[in-house]
Amino acid sequence: MTIFIFKAVLIFIIFLISLGIAAYSTYAERKVAAFLQDRIGPDRAGPFGLLQPLADGVKMFLKEEIIPTVSDKWLFILGPCLFMVTALMTSAVIPWGMPLEIGGKIYKLQVADLNIGILYILGVVSLGVYGIMIGGWSSNNKFALLGAIRASSQMISYELAMGMSVIAIILISNGSLSLTAIVESQKGLNWNVFYQPVAFLIFIICAFAECNRTPFDLPESESELIGGYHTEYSSMKLGLYLFAEYINMFISSAVISCLFFGGYNFPGLDYLNTVLPVNLVSLISIGILFVKIFFFIFFFMWIRWTIPRFRYDQLMRLGWQILMPLSIINVLVTGAVLTFFNK
Amino acid sequence: MDNYSELINLMRPAMLIPLFPLLGFLIIAFFGKSLKHFSGWIACLSILASFFCSLYLFINLSSNQKLDFTVFEWIRWGDINLSFGLLVDPLTIVMLLVITGIGFLIHVYSIGYMHTDEGFSRFFSYLNLFIFFMLILVMGNSYLIMFIGWEGVGLCSYLLIGFWFKNQAFNNAAKKAFIMNRIGDLGFLIGMFFMLHYFGGLDYNLVFSAAQSHPKGSTLLVTITLLLFIGAMGKSAQIPLYTWLPDAMAGPTPVSALIHAATMVTAGIYMICRSGVLFALAPQTLEVVLIVGVATSLFAAIIGLKQNDIKKVLAYSTVSQLGLMFVALGLGAFSSGMFHVVTHAFFKALLFLGAGSVIHAMGGEQDIRNMGGLKKYIKITYITFIIGTLAISGIFPFAGFFSKDEILAASFAEYKLVWILMSFSSMLTAFYMFRLYFLTFSNNFRGTQDQQHHLHESPATMTIPLIVLAFLSVIGGLLGLPVVMSHTHLFSQYLEPVFEVSKNIIGAQHNLAHRTEWVLMGVATLAAIASVFVAYNLYISKKILPEPDADVKGFTKWVANKFYVDEFYNKVFVRPVMVMSDIFFVLIDKLFIDLFVNAVAWIVGFTGRTMRLVQTGNTRFYIFAMVIGIIILLYCQLVHPFLNVYFN
Amino acid sequence: MEQLEQHANPQSWYLVLSTILFSIGVMGVLFRRNAIIILMCIELMLNSVNLLLVSFSAYSGNSDGQVFVFFIMVVAAAEVAVGLALLVSIYRNVASTDIDVLSKLKW
Amino acid sequence: MNSQIIFFILSSLSLVSALFVVFSKNPIYSVMWLIVCFISIFGHYLMLNAQFLAIIHLIVYAGAIMVLMLFTVMLLNLNKESEPHKSPLPKVAAIISGGLLLLVLLAAMHSGSLPGYISPDLTDTGYVQKVGIKIFTDFLLPFEMTSILFIAAMIGAVVLAKKEKH
Amino acid sequence: MTWIERLYLPAIFQGLSITIKHLFKKKVSLRYPEVKRAFAAVYRGMHVLKRDEQGRENCTACGLCAVACPAEAITMVAAERKKGEENLYREEKYAAIYEINMLRCIFCGLCEEACPKDAIYLTDRLVPSEYSRGKFVFGKDMLVEAVDQRIDISKRKKVYEI
């Protein structure tokens, strides 16, 4: 039974961390944007503006709740909820660190070690479209519908290349689909990114597209579609959408870290394991993972404030005509290399 | 099977041999449009690759070895197991070398000859397909595989004869060839059924060992061999199924050289050699073969005397030579027959290609009455053509002399009469060939001004194959120097293991004394030189020209019109069939079958008109009907125990 | 989900469940006139069959059933892609997806 | 007992959602209910230890097919059934025949020998390796055929849905 | 474009390096209420109607400013000075109502140039924000400087004197 309690606690903690990181991502986004543009950014609420997310949250809650009269009320409410749920669900299979030892028992820092971990992520990500589509459609607004359609076609298109790039990773990590196994196969500095730079490139581009981040933020491009699928949303429902996007960003950073940058692995982990107590090593490994995640969150923002948005046809061409063939070639080349050199 | 692993290593090149032409065919067939003239070189390369593979086999497979393996299982029902297998033994290798070697040369020649034709890549795709089927024919390890190749080469022959399909006469020639071949193929097919029924399979090994359990000359064996011989008659243009071959000259000249002189028409010879055991067990059939061979050889030679189309003369000479080969087979001298196949392939291909070169120079003119004096204009063609003519006339020391002499010697040993007839036939051959040569190359030019202006030597792609073939025609005979001239007969020694069994069955052959052989050779050479002299006297000294078609009278008219055989066939076979079909059409078709068919049609129509009312066009109704039907069916089938009994 | 506990549901439950799902699908095909919903009901029927196959596979310890389901999914995806494309082009012509309107099958 | 409770919850969910698919007025709701139904079937697959298939089911059905459905419904703007009222006879017939089919099938099962209380063979039948090896050995040809089918369907869909240029 | 340029990746990295450089640059922001940016000498902010040294309004309601105004933001009603108002208005005529619509005003300063009596000036003060549009029509209560709170316009005057 203790395992269940542990898992419940773990889920709760991950939930809180996700929310917290998402909240502070909004703050970080504004800060990074400001810094990259030689500005200071929010610094009034609390020291260095650290309470800014709180203020934003309060503001969101206090805003008027508007549900358009011509909208489909149930779906209008369901949309942001679904989006949030799917965003949070992905975190279930990510190994957060080395196992903890409590009371002589070993606890894996992972909610569920599925033997199909990566597929689970792809599956849940593919469900994420519904939140956007339902929200966009039920708003009964042309801009919202356009945003929703753009979002869904974009996400479906890029999911394929994403899956194909992941196949190359599966190939080189002993054919296991489990994220733990993939992370374990990258001991030390044996990170996949060095063996699979092309897959990494494809994956990160697709991750940008799946998170609707610039340069792929066409679904909500404010200059064309006002707010895209969440044009009609206000108050905390809008908050959920925005929040969920930041959670997506957090999770995809975590996935990228696990797939390509060794997850919680770092050179010297094995050595530390022999010297330090297990729990301390575990905490250090968690810290390492989070350093990587923060780097990628920063990278997401960095890209956002550097590269302008694609045109829609460019986006589709990139997805279908470049990334898709490239990822297939990558898989073929990887398979060929493995076949010829490993035997 | 002494060195098993070594043979295993030879399997792959053996399988590659037919694959290269197939690959070439596929490439040219699919990308011919974009390859343009490049497709010719692809075709050549594929054949060259096959040639090298064949050479590799020739070098690595000693004459007492054979490679017999199954590529894949094909048909299996009951006890009968027909698999796709290949057989490579000396006989096959000889054929392979001839097909791929001469095939390659003719491919190269075609690049020059067909250069301006709009169907350039189509032509090469057909040629490659033909080579593929021919290789299958000679490489198969059962009659079935041979039959696949047999039919395949027939198809390619049809396609290539009718290559210029805009000309209706050419199409008719193609159809004629196809139908004539079908008659022969029917015999072959029935023979195969017999074998399948009585021997339980079609593999050579199986058939031959099963056949040896039957007594020599039994009805079954005679029947089977006769049926097979009918097939060979069709393919190798023997009386009475020879008339398609002269007409087949409608195709482009390289086709005539490759298919209708060097390779496909010898398929019949190959088939009889391959089934030597069967034929040896049926002496009656061998006699039939002999008679047919003699008759064909003489008959075609006589017709050849009066032909004025350069290709027709060569065509009749081919028929005549094929007859000679059958004579050899009929005498049981299989290796002599094969030897003549090889030498004949050299010089007949050379002659056809030379004729092609002449036609090329004349801008499409084929009538020798309009030629003459060409030796001034086209030197290389002239020299190579004279070599070919000497070879076919059987003049020492060219290739034809040795092979012909061997057959004549064999006939002298067996039947003197045959020897006399065949010697006469050889004389005729020498005569009409030199007639052709003199009329074409000597004296003055008789064509129009335009043609004279147009005369030019052919490009290198055409002349080089001519030179190579001429070289082969000169030295080809050395392969089989008779025993009297050297210690061993290389060719028959090489083929000996293949024909060992059949030789034993036929029994001891009469051996001629060396002195007799020398005399025979001398007689043959003298006869040939005498005919050449007669031809010289007639066409050079007296400068006689063949008269125009209208002026021909009497017996010569018969000869010039090929003894009216085509007309005879029309009257005797085609016309009655037409009349019968007319009668059947009126009596049975109109009255009986139409009534029946119309009644059925009316019933169907009526039912349809009635049932159409059900067709509402409403999809939902259809789905509904379907579901109801399923429910009823399930109810009857699964639930209701009473109905269950009936449905099961 | 690491290791599901051994459960003792009889397989007949799955049979009954998928039968009911299948019947609902059939009923839906007959009941609705909107072609898209008919397509969806067909998907439902396919899924009931899939469920049945997976249950057989699990209960007999043989993966073949799952491979079949895999192929059914491929076919279903192809079917939906083509079906919807057809519907869209039909909709362009007759501005309706009501299958009662689509009576062009009549001769 | 646990698994039985889960089974009943999932089954009732799938049945109820399937009924809603059929009876919802609004096509969008039908689509949503079908998604719910698929997710409950996903749960069934997990119960049967077919993890790989479950995820593939989720990705293919929920992630691709239903998105396409939703897409089409939204694009064609079929938010309300704008059809004129027609006679209820077909609907009654539909319900009756559906029920009949159910009865016949159940009766057929009853009369046949139903697998009884066999305990499931919860081995690794559903693992990726197992299924993958099956696909790429015994079922290689069908697999290649489906890929051809797929590409044909893709091309067909593109050709059909493309607007003709006038 | 060459093949490498077609990849766009070098360009992207170039862009990324440019933005990352700015991360470490000195920030240009000012913390506004605490730190203020100095106005330029010629900054044209909210208007003021000046009084003379004795506290009398300079404006004589001649209307030249309203004529000069390109945005037609100024309206005025003239009135005659009554007995006993000499300490309020410098000359016999004065503006009973003087209104500037601050939403229309473009702060061009033409009124200032047109004024013959040195009555109207644009100052470096900001126009205060309001909640309704009506309140942006500033009357004399907003525009005329208080007697005890004179607004220094010497900088602007100096400019003109040059």
Side-chain angles (χ1 to χ4, degrees):
Chain A
M1 218 53 213
T2 47
I3 185 90
F4 283 105
I5 295 168
F6 175 77
K7 293 276 167 173
V9 171
L10 186 64
I11 290 171
F12 190 66
I13 291 173
I14 290 171
F15 179 65
L16 285 186
I17 288 178
S18 302
L19 290 186
I21 285 185
Y24 273 91
S25 296
T26 60
Y27 167 73
E29 176 105 80
R30 294 163 69 172
K31 272 290 188 195
V32 168
F35 272 66
L36 292 181
Q37 295 164 356
D38 294 348
R39 296 185 288 110
I40 293 175
D43 69 340
R44 292 285 151 164
F48 307 106
L50 278 174
L51 296 179
Q52 187 68 36
L54 211 65
D56 286 345
V58 169
K59 185 197 82 175
M60 282 289 184
F61 270 114
L62 293 181
K63 287 271 181 177
E64 189 188 358
E65 186 86 46
I66 298 169
I67 295 177
T69 47
V70 286
S71 72
D72 194 313
K73 196 179 169 202
W74 286 110
L75 293 182
F76 193 76
I77 296 169
L78 184 65
C81 305
L82 258 181
F83 198 45
M84 191 72 183
V85 166
T86 50
L88 284 168
M89 263 165 72
T90 326
S91 59
V93 290
I94 292 167
W96 295 100
M98 300 282 285
L100 277 175
E101 190 186 325
I102 304 169
K105 272 183 122 176
I106 300 288
Y107 293 101
K108 269 191 194 169
L109 278 174
Q110 188 179 19
V111 176
D113 182 14
L114 296 182
N115 63 359
I116 40 162
I118 294 182
L119 286 179
Y120 172 83
I121 290 172
L122 288 176
V124 173
V125 164
S126 69
L127 287 183
V129 172
Y130 287 113
I132 292 178
M133 280 190 86
I134 291 169
W137 181 79
S138 62
S139 300
N140 210 348
N141 173 315
K142 284 196 174 72
F143 293 112
L145 184 63
L146 271 175
I149 284 170
R150 278 184 179 190
S152 50
S153 48
Q154 170 180 327
M155 284 170 97
I156 289 178
S157 308
Y158 278 77
E159 211 164 88
L160 292 170
M162 194 176 195
M164 294 303 281
S165 70
V166 165
I167 287 176
I169 293 299
I170 297 166
L171 281 177
I172 64 165
S173 48
N174 305 327
S176 178
L177 296 177
S178 153
L179 270 178
T180 321
I182 289 172
V183 170
E184 284 296 323
S185 71
Q186 306 178 54
K187 283 266 181 231
L189 209 58
N190 209 11
W191 296 350
N192 282 340
V193 68
F194 303 124
Y195 301 105
Q196 286 288 341
V198 179
F200 168 65
L201 202 65
I202 295 166
F203 191 90
I204 200 161
I205 291 172
C206 294
F208 275 108
E210 294 283 323
C211 294
N212 292 335
R213 295 283 305 185
T214 326
F216 302 99
D217 63 341
L218 286 125
E220 46 190 302
S221 51
E222 52 287 289
S223 48
E224 304 162 35
L225 296 181
I226 309 169
Y229 57 87
H230 54 60
T231 302
E232 292 287 347
Y233 280 88
S234 64
S235 183
M236 205 53 213
K237 289 204 284 294
L238 175 64
L240 279 181
Y241 269 127
L242 300 181
F243 234 64
E245 267 184 34
Y246 283 103
I247 293 176
N248 271 339
M249 193 166 90
F250 165 57
I251 301 293
S252 48
S253 299
V255 172
I256 291 170
S257 311
C258 287
L259 286 184
F260 293 96
F261 286 83
Y264 50 75
N265 280 308
F266 57 95
L269 182 66
D270 291 330
Y271 172 71
L272 286 184
N273 234 338
T274 55
V275 208
L276 295 177
V278 179
N279 286 349
L280 191 61
V281 175
S282 174
L283 288 179
I284 290 172
S285 68
I286 295 172
I288 289 292
L289 177 60
F290 271 88
V291 167
K292 288 172 187 171
I293 292 174
F294 289 147
F295 171 75
F296 279 105
I297 292 177
F298 171 71
F299 187 71
F300 268 80
M301 292 167 180
W302 185 8
I303 287 280
R304 171 166 180 181
W305 298 108
T306 303
I307 296 170
R309 184 183 300 139
F310 280 105
R311 225 169 43 220
Y312 199 68
D313 59 325
Q314 290 171 331
L315 173 115
M316 281 296 158
R317 189 178 315 132
L318 178 68
W320 286 105
Q321 295 186 2
I322 298 172
L323 293 186
M324 200 44 198
L326 192 64
S327 57
I328 291 172
I329 290 168
N330 187 39
V331 169
L332 287 179
V333 169
T334 310
V337 168
L338 284 180
T339 319
F340 285 116
F341 291 97
N342 272 18
K343 282 180 183 173
Chain B
M1 290 292 144
D2 43 347
N3 202 336
Y4 191 71
S5 62
E6 191 185 315
L7 287 178
I8 291 284
N9 286 336
L10 290 176
M11 270 166 59
R12 191 156 295 175
M15 281 193 280
L16 278 179
I17 291 172
L19 274 185
F20 281 120
L22 182 65
L23 203 66
F25 162 68
L26 290 176
I27 291 173
I28 298 168
F30 285 111
F31 308 110
K33 278 258 159 55
S34 41
L35 287 171
K36 303 242 171 63
H37 282 95
F38 199 59
S39 52
W41 291 110
I42 290 180
C44 289
L45 279 180
S46 67
I47 307 299
L48 190 64
S50 289
F51 178 67
F52 281 126
C53 286
S54 312
L55 216 56
Y56 179 78
L57 283 180
F58 172 67
I59 293 163
N60 285 299
L61 200 74
S62 61
S63 78
N64 53 359
Q65 283 178 317
K66 70 174 179 179
L67 192 61
D68 188 350
F69 61 98
T70 302
V71 181
F72 56 85
E73 296 248 313
W74 190 20
I75 301 169
R76 183 205 289 253
W77 83 98
D79 303 333
I80 293 165
N81 185 5
L82 299 177
S83 55
F84 191 97
L86 298 182
L87 167 72
V88 180
D89 64 357
L91 180 60
T92 311
I93 287 178
V94 167
M95 288 304 285
L96 283 180
L97 288 174
V98 168
I99 293 161
T100 52
I102 292 184
F104 171 67
L105 290 173
I106 290 173
H107 270 70
V108 174
Y109 178 87
S110 306
I111 290 177
Y113 191 80
M114 300 298 288
H115 192 76
T116 50
D117 199 280
E118 56 186 328
F120 185 79
S121 39
R122 186 163 58 93
F123 181 76
F124 278 99
S125 69
Y126 289 165
L127 271 193
N128 265 13
L129 187 66
F130 167 76
I131 297 274
F132 165 70
F133 278 124
M134 195 66 206
L135 292 172
I136 290 288
L137 192 158
V138 297
M139 288 181 81
N141 76 345
S142 75
Y143 282 100
L144 188 67
I145 312 300
M146 187 200 263
F147 192 70
I148 294 172
W150 191 271
E151 291 298 307
V153 293
L155 169 73
C156 291
S157 159
Y158 165 76
L159 289 173
L160 283 164
I161 293 169
F163 182 74
W164 288 309
F165 53 82
K166 282 170 187 159
N167 186 329
Q168 192 52 45
F170 294 177
N171 278 344
N172 287 342
K175 273 189 267 178
K176 186 173 178 182
F178 205 59
I179 291 166
M180 283 282 191
N181 268 304
R182 282 299 74 70
I183 297 170
D185 293 348
L186 185 66
F188 191 0
L189 204 56
I190 295 170
M192 275 182 16
F193 290 150
F194 267 97
M195 284 191 271
L196 203 57
H197 188 251
Y198 287 102
F199 302 153
L202 292 171
D203 281 16
Y204 296 141
N205 290 335
L206 187 100
V207 169
F208 297 156
S209 57
Q212 283 178 50
S213 64
H214 290 262
K216 192 172 175 179
S218 72
T219 324
L220 173 69
L221 290 173
V222 172
T223 316
I224 289 176
T225 46
L226 274 178
L227 286 167
L228 288 181
F229 179 57
I230 290 174
M233 281 197 304
K235 191 85 5 192
S236 293
Q238 294 302 297
I239 287 179
L241 297 179
Y242 74 96
T243 54
W244 65 271
L245 185 59
D247 284 11
M249 296 303 129
T253 307
V255 172
S256 309
L258 179 63
I259 301 182
H260 305 119
T263 54
M264 186 189 84
V265 287
T266 60
I269 322 284
Y270 168 77
M271 189 247 267
I272 291 178
C273 285
R274 177 55 79 201
S275 13
V277 179
L278 285 182
F279 280 84
L281 284 167
Q284 297 91 326
T285 315
L286 280 183
E287 273 165 31
V288 174
V289 172
L290 180 65
I291 292 163
V292 169
V294 170
T296 309
S297 180
L298 263 178
F299 194 69
I302 291 168
I303 296 178
L305 291 177
K306 279 292 162 192
Q307 292 304 311
N308 292 326
D309 184 318
I310 184 165
K311 283 176 74 179
K312 282 270 162 73
V313 177
L314 292 175
Y316 278 104
S317 105
T318 306
V319 177
S320 168
Q321 298 297 315
L322 289 168
L324 188 61
M325 294 172 208
F326 274 101
V327 169
L329 301 182
L331 293 167
F334 293 124
S335 68
S336 306
M338 279 312 291
F339 185 37
H340 197 58
V341 166
V342 175
T343 54
H344 176 253
F346 293 155
F347 58 68
K348 192 47 72 65
L350 168 63
L351 286 170
F352 263 114
L353 294 187
S357 186
V358 168
I359 295 166
H360 189 76
M362 296 288 294
E365 177 63 63
Q366 300 195 3
D367 195 327
I368 46 175
R369 282 170 297 194
N370 296 333
M371 296 180 186
L374 290 182
K375 62 179 156 190
K376 290 195 285 282
Y377 305 100
I378 41 179
K379 275 267 157 44
I380 301 174
T381 311
Y382 156 67
I383 293 167
T384 51
F385 199 90
I386 181 77
I387 292 172
T389 313
L390 288 169
I392 197 175
S393 305
I395 290 173
F396 185 83
F398 296 96
F401 171 77
F402 297 99
S403 54
K404 241 185 202 178
D405 180 66
E406 221 175 291
I407 298 171
L408 287 177
S411 60
F412 186 80
E414 296 285 332
Y415 307 99
K416 299 281 186 297
L417 177 66
V418 172
W419 177 76
I420 292 166
L421 288 174
M422 292 322 292
S423 298
F424 181 58
S425 164
S426 306
M427 280 173 68
L428 289 179
T429 305
F431 176 74
Y432 65 70
M433 282 314 296
F434 271 91
R435 169 177 174 267
L436 174 70
Y437 161 72
F438 289 137
L439 285 175
T440 307
F441 289 99
S442 305
N443 295 340
N444 296 322
F445 189 69
R446 296 187 294 274
T448 58
Q449 283 284 313
D450 273 357
Q451 285 172 332
Q452 188 163 18
H453 190 69
H454 180 261
L455 283 174
H456 63 281
E457 182 56 279
S458 305
T461 44
M462 286 167 71
T463 51
I464 289 172
L466 283 178
I467 293 166
V468 176
L469 282 171
F471 178 69
L472 287 173
S473 301
V474 175
I475 64 145
L478 302 181
L479 289 175
L481 279 181
V483 187
V484 290
M485 291 190 192
S486 72
H487 294 298
T488 49
H489 191 297
L490 288 174
F491 192 80
S492 62
Q493 197 186 32
Y494 183 64
L495 285 180
E496 206 176 334
V498 182
F499 298 123
E500 212 172 357
V501 182
S502 41
K503 272 262 161 56
N504 290 340
I505 295 168
I506 290 174
Q509 301 250 323
H510 301 274
N511 270 328
L512 289 174
H514 282 191
R515 202 157 52 90
T516 327
E517 276 199 41
W518 283 114
V519 170
L520 285 180
M521 280 184 204
V523 170
T525 314
L526 278 179
I529 289 172
S531 347
V532 173
F533 182 74
V534 172
Y536 182 84
N537 190 26
L538 282 176
Y539 297 104
I540 300 286
S541 308
K542 297 190 185 162
K543 295 194 175 169
I544 292 177
L545 262 187
E547 55 277 78
D549 293 339
D551 297 349
V552 187
K553 295 261 160 53
F555 181 70
T556 34
K557 192 173 177 187
W558 270 68
V559 175
N561 285 310
K562 309 148 203 170
F563 291 104
Y564 296 101
V565 171
D566 278 330
E567 288 77 1
F568 173 74
Y569 282 175
N570 258 336
K571 283 238 164 60
V572 177
F573 296 112
V574 181
R575 188 66 63 73
V577 170
M578 297 288 241
V579 172
M580 284 238 294
S581 65
D582 276 351
I583 294 167
F584 278 127
F585 174 66
V586 175
L587 280 183
I588 296 178
D589 201 75
K590 279 225 157 162
L591 284 181
F592 196 70
I593 296 176
D594 276 10
L595 184 73
F596 183 67
V597 170
N598 284 343
V600 170
W602 185 82
I603 292 167
V604 170
F606 175 76
T607 325
R609 275 191 296 279
T610 319
M611 295 293 279
R612 205 190 74 198
L613 300 177
V614 180
Q615 192 186 16
T616 58
N618 185 333
T619 322
R620 226 148 44 113
F621 177 77
Y622 296 151
I623 304 172
F624 189 74
M626 192 176 83
V627 171
I628 295 293
I630 291 169
I631 292 173
I632 292 169
L633 205 65
L634 283 176
Y635 180 76
C636 296
Q637 188 71 27
L638 299 172
V639 182
H640 203 285
F642 176 69
L643 287 172
N644 228 343
V645 177
Y646 286 92
F647 271 91
N648 290 335
Chain C
M1 256 177 280
E2 263 136 28
Q3 183 56 56
L4 284 170
E5 61 178 292
Q6 291 275 325
H7 62 96
N9 298 341
Q11 202 198 346
S12 54
W13 291 7
Y14 285 102
L15 291 184
V16 173
L17 173 65
S18 43
T19 311
I20 298 175
L21 274 179
F22 188 83
S23 305
I24 292 175
V26 171
M27 187 177 73
V29 168
L30 295 173
F31 192 83
R32 299 300 294 257
R33 283 187 288 168
N34 189 333
I36 293 183
I37 294 180
I38 287 176
L39 263 182
M40 278 158 53
C41 290
I42 291 170
E43 292 300 315
L44 193 60
M45 286 151 75
L46 284 173
N47 263 279
S48 75
V49 175
N50 284 356
L51 181 59
L52 199 61
L53 279 169
V54 172
S55 81
F56 272 116
S57 153
Y59 279 81
S60 61
N62 187 345
S63 309
D64 285 4
Q66 303 196 12
V67 179
F68 295 155
V69 174
F70 190 78
F71 292 143
I72 292 178
M73 281 180 188
V74 175
V75 173
E79 171 219 314
V80 165
V82 175
L84 287 180
L86 273 174
L87 275 180
V88 169
S89 56
I90 288 172
Y91 189 83
R92 284 207 194 105
N93 285 325
V94 297
S96 167
T97 53
D98 186 342
I99 57 161
D100 284 354
V101 176
L102 311 178
S103 54
K104 291 278 154 60
L105 288 174
K106 195 172 186 169
W107 173 57
Chain D
M1 275 303 108
N2 246 345
S3 68
Q4 294 190 2
I5 294 167
I6 298 173
F7 177 83
F8 280 118
I9 292 172
L10 284 175
S11 305
S12 45
L13 186 64
S14 41
L15 289 178
V16 167
S17 53
L19 285 174
F20 271 114
V21 171
V22 176
F23 291 111
S24 291
K25 276 267 180 289
N26 191 333
I28 291 275
Y29 278 84
S30 287
V31 175
M32 302 311 300
W33 281 116
L34 192 55
I35 295 166
V36 174
C37 184
F38 284 162
I39 288 171
S40 73
I41 288 174
F42 164 75
H44 279 298
Y45 287 169
L46 282 184
M47 292 265 293
L48 290 165
N49 220 15
Q51 302 180 0
F52 174 60
L53 208 65
I55 283 294
I56 295 294
H57 173 85
L58 198 67
I59 293 176
V60 172
Y61 276 109
I65 292 182
M66 292 321 288
V67 172
L68 210 59
M69 291 269 187
L70 202 59
F71 212 91
T72 320
V73 174
M74 285 178 178
L75 271 180
L76 301 187
N77 204 18
L78 303 171
N79 46 355
K80 55 189 174 296
E81 296 227 53
S82 49
E83 53 204 43
H85 202 69
K86 284 190 176 171
S87 75
L89 185 68
K91 300 200 167 177
V92 175
I95 293 172
I96 290 172
S97 52
L100 267 178
L101 184 68
L102 178 63
L103 278 179
V104 166
L105 282 173
L106 286 180
M109 275 184 207
H110 192 71
S111 65
S113 59
L114 262 186
Y117 279 72
I118 322 161
S119 98
D121 198 355
L122 282 186
T123 48
D124 52 352
T125 43
Y127 282 23
V128 192
Q129 285 90 339
K130 258 281 180 81
V131 178
I133 285 169
K134 275 274 182 204
I135 288 176
F136 288 107
T137 54
D138 296 355
F139 296 92
L140 184 60
L141 185 68
F143 180 74
E144 298 294 340
M145 299 300 251
T146 48
S147 60
I148 291 167
L149 169 80
F150 223 41
I151 199 153
M154 259 166 78
I155 293 167
V158 170
V159 169
L160 279 172
K162 219 170 142 188
K163 249 192 188 124
E164 286 162 43
K165 277 176 192 148
H166 292 292
Chain E
M1 280 194 289
T2 64
W3 185 77
I4 298 280
E5 279 172 335
R6 262 163 193 282
L7 275 178
Y8 290 114
L9 285 176
I12 287 173
F13 285 124
Q14 211 180 342
L16 285 174
S17 69
I18 289 172
T19 43
I20 201 74
K21 266 181 219 150
H22 280 270
L23 190 64
F24 305 108
K25 277 202 177 150
K26 193 179 169 323
K27 306 301 169 205
V28 294
S29 301
L30 288 178
R31 286 173 169 73
Y32 168 66
E34 296 97 40
V35 188
K36 282 179 184 155
R37 209 180 284 278
F39 284 120
V42 291
Y43 183 83
R44 294 193 290 263
M46 199 172 95
H47 312 69
V48 66
L49 287 175
K50 290 297 286 183
R51 293 172 189 273
D52 65 2
E53 293 78 28
Q54 292 140 33
R56 299 172 299 183
E57 289 179 16
N58 281 354
C59 180
T60 60
C62 63
L64 281 174
C65 54
V67 171
C69 183
E72 298 182 357
I74 303 174
T75 46
M76 64 178 71
V77 176
E80 217 165 308
R81 185 174 65 180
K82 302 268 171 45
K83 274 279 183 201
E85 290 178 334
E86 286 86 358
N87 60 333
L88 289 178
Y89 311 114
R90 200 167 66 177
E91 289 176 35
E92 288 87 37
K93 201 160 134 252
Y94 71 99
I97 299 173
Y98 191 101
E99 285 176 346
I100 301 177
N101 187 339
M102 287 299 172
L103 292 177
R104 304 193 68 162
C105 176
I106 56 167
F107 304 96
C108 58
L110 288 180
C111 48
E112 189 183 87
E113 275 181 50
C115 188
K117 296 288 180 188
D118 281 359
I120 187 162
Y121 280 100
L122 276 70
T123 65
D124 56 1
R125 294 176 303 161
L126 299 174
V127 177
S129 47
E130 299 288 350
Y131 283 100
S132 70
R133 300 177 76 87
K135 288 189 179 158
F136 278 104
V137 182
F138 285 8
K140 280 177 75 173
D141 52 332
M142 299 287 288
L143 294 172
V144 182
E145 62 180 347
V147 183
D148 49 348
Q149 271 183 297
R150 292 303 183 91
I151 288 159
D152 180 29
I153 42 114
S154 48
K155 276 190 219 157
R156 301 189 63 76
K157 262 195 168 163
K158 221 184 273 171
V159 171
Y160 286 103
E161 273 160 14
I162 290 168

